[in-house]
Amino acid sequence: MDALASHGVKLAVVTNKFEAFATSLLGQLGLSERFVTVIGGDSMGKGPDGKFRAKPLPDPVIEARARCGGGRFAFVGDSTYDVAAAKGAGVPVVVAAYGYCDKPPHELGGDAVIDSFHGLIPALERLG
């Protein structure tokens, strides 16, 4: 996170867990200050179908980008929901192969795949 910050990268959390849970967990880990925003599965409210507007819908990714000030934005995820949300929002997605991965990482459709956090900055640089 320090390396990302040194590159001027703003961080956001987009999760399908409830926002209060995610915020509490980040606080307990002492990481709250690292993130511009936390968007949970309940943060965007419910759509006309009565379901939360969460991933795989692009809404939370679009909102995260806006809360980070717009401009260049990439999403890091590990599931088909993450890739679908990022693609729907029109942003590149880096697949974290060490995460949940409900399909083989290279089959998720990301723009890049990394095997560890050490690969993130080089992947972001390649994506431009």
Side-chain angles (χ1 to χ4, degrees):
M1 285 191 212
D2 289 337
L4 289 167
S6 74
H7 282 82
V9 174
K10 295 178 183 177
L11 301 176
V13 171
V14 177
T15 179
N16 279 357
K17 310 293 187 281
F18 283 177
E19 181 179 335
F21 173 77
T23 300
S24 173
L25 183 60
L26 290 170
Q28 291 172 41
L29 294 171
L31 297 174
S32 297
E33 303 293 319
R34 298 285 194 152
F35 298 95
V36 171
T37 190
V38 175
I39 299 174
D42 59 335
S43 299
M44 304 301 300
K46 293 183 180 180
D49 60 1
K51 295 181 181 178
F52 284 114
R53 293 173 29 229
K55 301 177 297 180
L57 295 176
D59 304 29
V61 178
I62 293 168
E63 182 64 19
R65 183 181 200 174
R67 291 183 189 183
C68 286
R72 293 173 55 195
F73 191 87
F75 192 82
V76 179
D78 62 1
S79 73
T80 54
Y81 280 20
D82 293 331
V83 173
K87 295 290 184 180
V91 301
V93 58
V94 177
V95 173
Y98 49 87
Y100 165 71
C101 296
D102 55 334
K103 291 172 72 173
H106 293 305
E107 293 179 17
L108 288 173
D111 299 294
V113 177
I114 58 173
D115 294 318
S116 72
F117 280 123
H118 298 293
L120 182 56
I121 291 175
L124 292 172
E125 289 172 340
R126 284 190 302 275
L127 292 174

